Amino acid sequence: MSIILPQIFSLFHVSVTFNRLPTFSTDRKLPKKSLKPDSPELNRTNSGTDFSTNSNTTTTSNSAASGNGNKSNGGEKYSSAGKSNVATKRTSSAVFPASVVAGIEPLLPFKDVPNGEKMNLFVSKVSLCCVTFDFTDPTKNCVEKDVKKQTLIELLDFVAAGSMKFSEPAILAMCRMCAVNLFRVFPPNYRCSSHSTGENDDDEPMFDPSWPHLQIVYDLLLKFITSSCLDAKVAKRYIDHSFILRLLDLFDSDDPRERECLKTILHRVYGKFMVHRPFIRKSMSNIFYRFVFETEKHNGIAELLEIFGSIISGFALPLKEEHKIFLRRVIMPLHKPKSLGTYFQQLSYCVMQFIEKEPKLSSTVINGLLKYWPITNSQKEVMFLGEIEEILEAINMVEFQKVMVPLFWRIGCCINSFHFQVAERALFLWNNDQIVNLIAHNRQVILPILLPVLEKNAQSHWNQAVLNLTLNVRKMFSEMDDVLFMSCHAQYREQVANLSLVAQRRKEAWEQLENAARLQPITGNTAVLVTPLATSIAC
C-alpha cells in the first residue's frame, strides 16, 4: 500500500487551494509543517459558507489539463503516538493542505482507520472530490476521473451506512464539495435550445456529458441530507438561503435526469429544514413569476410544480391567506403560457389539491380559468375543458351556482367551435353523471344559454361526430324537462324570427339610402352610385 498510493497520488497533477476549514481535534499529534513567510497557506482566510464557484475551493492548474507537470510526492510515513497502529501518510500541501486533511491520506479505505479518525478521513475524501475535470473530452484525465469516481462511491457507501454523526467540519466540507461540482451557469445556447413555443416539442433533450459523474454527487447529497446522522440545526447554517437559491437555479438544466434528482433533493430539504420552508416557497414563486410574466422559458416548471403539489397536500386547515394568494397570483396565471402542455398535468394536480383542501376555492379557480381561457389555441382549449370537468366533479352546488352563467356561456362557444376536437370535448361533458346532475338542478338557467348553441350546431356544423353528439345532448335536455325545452325552443324560434326581421329592415333601409343617393345631382367630388347592384350589402 505504501508503494501504490504515492503512485496513484502522482496522477493528480493539480495545484489545489482550499479555504481553511474549522480545525477539528484528533487523537494523534501530527508533525506540523513549517510555512515560509511567502507561503500561500499563510494568506488563507476563513471563508465561512461561501459556495461561489467563481472562488472555487479547488483550482486545476494547467498541468492538470495537459497531463504534464510536477508530480506531488507520496508523503512520508509516520507512526501514531500509541493509540493506533494504522500507518497514515502526510500528503503534499500542494495537493491537500495539512490543515484540511488532518494528516489522513484520502485514498485510504474507511475500514483501515479507527472510528476516531473516520470523520477526518471523510473530510479528506470530500476535499479530494473538489477537483473538477472537463468531461467534454472523454480522453482527458481518464485515470484521475476514475480515482475521483471511486472516491465518490466510497463516500456514498459511508454516508448510506450511517455509522457516525457528521461533525460540523464534515458538513461544511460536504456542502462545499457539492457546490463546486454541481453549481454552474448554463450557457445561453444550452439553455435556449430546449424551449418550445408549443406543446408538441419533438426535439431530443440535450444530455450533459458529465452526468455519470454528476449523478453520483447528487446521490451522495441526497443520502447526506436524508441521513439520520445529520443534525439539521447545524446543517442549516451551511445548507442556507444561498445554497438553496443555487440549487433552484439548476432546475433550468436541459437534462431531465438532473431535474429529477433535483426534485427529490429539494423535496427532502423542504421536509428536513423547517426554518427554510417559507424561503423555499417564496423563491419558487419568484421563478414562476419570472416564467409567466417575463421569459416564458424554463425547463423545470413541471418538476417545481410537482414539488409544490406535495407541499400543498401538507398545508394545515384552514388554509392561510398567503396560500390562497399563491393560488390566485401564481397557479392560475400559469395557465397563460403557450407551453402549458409541458407541465399541465402537474399544474392541474396542484389546482385539485387546493380544491380538496378548501372546496370554496372551486369558484375562484373556474373564474381564473375563464380569465385565461385561450381563444386561438385549440389544444389549450381541450386541456381547459378537461380541467373544468375535473373541477365540476368536486364542486358543490353553492359554488357551482356562482359561476354557472359565465361558465356555460364559454362552454357554448366551445360547442360552436369549428375545431371538431374542441366541440367534441365540450359535448363530452354530458357523459359525466355528476355534471349532468348539476345541470339538471339548474336547467332553468343553463338551458336558455345552451339551446341556441345546440340548434345552430344541429343545423350547420360540418363534422358528423359533433353533429351526432349535439343531437344526443339536445335529446337529453328534452327528456330532462320537456315543458322547459319546448318553451326555450319557442323563444329561440321567436328570436330567430326577430333577427330575420331586423336584418330585412336593415336591408330595406340601405336600399332607400342608395336610391336617394343615386338621385342626387353630381357636384364637385361627390361619390356617385353607378348602379344599385354595385353597392348592395348582404346582411
Side-chain angles (χ1 to χ4, degrees):
M1 189 66 166
S2 61
I3 298 175
I4 297 174
L5 288 178
Q7 294 176 353
I8 296 178
F9 262 115
S10 67
L11 297 173
F12 281 86
H13 315 302
V14 292
S15 174
V16 197
T17 305
F18 288 98
N19 293 327
R20 185 181 298 276
L21 295 174
T23 58
F24 29 86
S25 61
T26 60
D27 294 335
R28 307 181 179 185
K29 294 183 178 179
L30 304 178
K32 294 184 178 178
K33 175 183 174 183
S34 61
L35 300 176
K36 296 180 181 180
D38 58 347
S39 171
E41 293 193 32
L42 288 176
N43 297 325
R44 293 202 199 102
T45 57
N46 190 349
S47 62
T49 58
D50 181 16
F51 300 117
S52 175
T53 54
N54 294 328
S55 57
N56 286 346
T57 55
T58 66
T59 56
T60 307
S61 66
N62 293 333
S63 60
S66 62
N68 299 322
N70 297 329
K71 297 181 180 180
S72 61
N73 58 22
E76 298 177 357
K77 189 182 297 185
Y78 69 92
S79 59
S80 70
K83 286 196 176 183
S84 171
N85 294 326
V86 178
T88 57
K89 299 184 179 220
R90 282 176 52 205
T91 60
S92 170
S93 61
V95 181
F96 300 106
S99 61
V100 173
V101 300
I104 304 297
E105 190 174 84
L107 295 181
L108 282 174
F110 282 103
K111 63 181 181 179
D112 290 348
V113 297
N115 290 335
E117 297 290 344
K118 284 185 177 179
M119 199 50 62
N120 290 337
L121 179 59
F122 176 83
V123 175
S124 296
K125 289 181 179 291
V126 169
S127 300
L128 173 68
C129 295
C130 286
V131 182
T132 57
F133 299 103
D134 179 13
F135 285 87
T136 58
D137 185 359
T139 63
K140 187 187 293 184
N141 304 114
C142 296
V143 180
E144 291 91 332
K145 292 175 184 176
D146 187 62
V147 172
K148 181 179 179 181
K149 178 181 178 181
Q150 295 303 321
T151 305
L152 285 169
I153 293 174
E154 192 175 358
L155 287 169
L156 182 61
D157 294 338
F158 177 77
V159 173
S163 56
M164 57 196 327
K165 188 175 181 179
F166 293 106
S167 63
E168 186 169 354
I171 297 172
L172 172 57
M174 183 67 189
C175 292
R176 183 170 292 162
M177 185 275 290
C178 291
V180 169
N181 284 275
L182 300 178
F183 297 162
R184 59 206 189 279
V185 177
F186 303 114
N189 59 341
Y190 176 82
R191 296 204 304 170
C192 296
S193 62
S194 68
H195 296 313
S196 62
T197 56
E199 297 79 24
N200 296 327
D201 185 23
D202 297 329
D203 294 337
E204 292 276 339
M206 292 179 62
F207 295 107
D208 196 323
S210 62
W211 174 247
H213 165 77
L214 292 175
Q215 184 179 18
I216 305 175
V217 181
Y218 276 119
D219 290 343
L220 179 57
L221 178 58
L222 177 61
K223 292 289 185 183
F224 181 73
I225 291 173
T226 58
S227 174
S228 58
C229 300
L230 179 65
D231 187 353
K233 293 181 180 179
V234 178
K236 70 181 181 181
R237 296 199 290 268
Y238 304 103
I239 302 178
D240 56 3
H241 290 179
S242 175
F243 189 93
I244 292 170
L245 282 176
R246 298 298 299 275
L247 205 64
L248 285 169
D249 288 341
L250 295 176
F251 275 90
D252 205 13
S253 170
D254 196 42
D255 196 325
R257 301 168 299 182
E258 183 170 13
R259 299 198 302 268
E260 193 68 22
C261 287
L262 286 164
K263 179 184 69 176
T264 306
I265 289 172
L266 185 62
H267 190 268
R268 297 298 185 182
V269 169
Y270 187 89
K272 186 151 192 168
F273 300 96
M274 296 184 65
V275 67
H276 292 329
R277 289 183 179 182
F279 178 79
I280 292 174
R281 292 197 301 268
K282 181 180 178 182
S283 300
M284 293 172 70
S285 298
N286 290 337
I287 293 175
F288 293 139
Y289 284 137
R290 194 177 305 114
F291 170 71
V292 172
F293 299 109
E294 295 181 12
T295 64
E296 288 197 12
K297 296 179 180 179
H298 198 284
N299 289 315
I301 299 298
E303 287 79 10
L304 291 172
L305 284 172
E306 192 169 342
I307 296 171
F308 241 115
S310 300
I311 293 174
I312 295 168
S313 64
F315 283 163
L317 295 176
L319 289 178
K320 296 180 181 178
E321 185 61 28
E322 66 170 291
H323 301 326
K324 298 178 183 178
I325 292 174
F326 174 79
L327 171 66
R328 293 194 298 268
R329 297 184 181 177
V330 180
I331 294 295
M332 298 316 300
L334 278 170
H335 289 82
K336 179 181 177 182
K338 295 179 181 178
S339 57
L340 172 66
T342 61
Y343 56 84
F344 176 74
Q345 183 178 356
Q346 293 82 0
L347 180 62
S348 180
Y349 177 78
C350 289
V351 169
M352 293 310 301
Q353 286 294 306
F354 270 109
I355 293 176
E356 289 177 9
K357 286 286 182 180
E358 191 164 324
K360 290 182 179 180
L361 292 174
S362 54
S363 58
T364 301
V365 170
I366 291 177
N367 283 325
L369 288 174
L370 295 176
K371 178 180 179 180
Y372 295 104
W373 198 277
I375 303 301
T376 59
N377 192 325
S378 301
Q379 291 181 333
K380 283 181 67 175
E381 277 194 280
V382 173
M383 294 181 205
F384 273 52
L385 288 167
E387 189 169 359
I388 286 289
E389 180 175 7
E390 195 172 358
I391 296 169
L392 291 179
E393 288 179 350
I395 199 171
N396 58 47
M397 189 64 69
V398 175
E399 298 301 316
F400 176 76
Q401 290 175 347
K402 292 179 182 178
V403 296
M404 61 182 178
V405 173
L407 173 61
F408 279 90
W409 181 87
R410 174 54 64 186
I411 291 174
C413 292
C414 292
I415 292 174
N416 278 155
S417 173
F418 288 112
H419 195 291
F420 79 96
Q421 290 180 336
V422 175
E424 195 174 50
R425 187 63 186 87
L427 291 166
F428 278 157
L429 293 175
W430 273 262
N431 291 337
N432 191 303
D433 293 337
Q434 172 66 15
I435 296 176
V436 171
N437 184 53
L438 291 170
I439 294 172
H441 281 83
N442 299 275
R443 58 186 180 275
Q444 300 286 345
V445 176
I446 296 174
L447 184 55
I449 297 173
L450 291 181
L451 187 62
V453 173
L454 296 173
E455 291 296 327
K456 182 179 178 181
N457 258 22
Q459 294 171 11
S460 60
H461 203 283
W462 65 272
N463 185 272
Q464 188 62 42
V466 173
L467 182 60
N468 293 337
L469 288 170
T470 301
L471 295 176
N472 289 338
V473 172
R474 187 174 178 276
K475 183 179 179 182
M476 288 178 66
F477 275 117
S478 176
E479 294 173 350
M480 192 181 294
D481 191 334
D482 186 58
V483 175
L484 177 62
F485 181 84
M486 296 305 295
S487 173
C488 291
H489 198 270
Q491 291 179 6
Y492 169 73
R493 288 198 302 269
E494 184 178 350
Q495 290 175 359
V496 170
N498 290 336
L499 289 174
S500 298
L501 182 60
V502 169
Q504 182 63 29
R505 289 175 179 174
R506 185 186 302 116
K507 183 178 180 180
E508 292 175 355
W510 276 106
E511 288 177 351
Q512 291 176 3
L513 287 172
E514 289 172 359
N515 291 331
R518 185 163 52 85
L519 298 176
Q520 292 292 328
I522 301 174
T523 57
N525 296 325
T526 305
V528 180
L529 288 174
V530 178
T531 171
L533 296 177
T535 57
S536 61
I537 300 175
C539 297

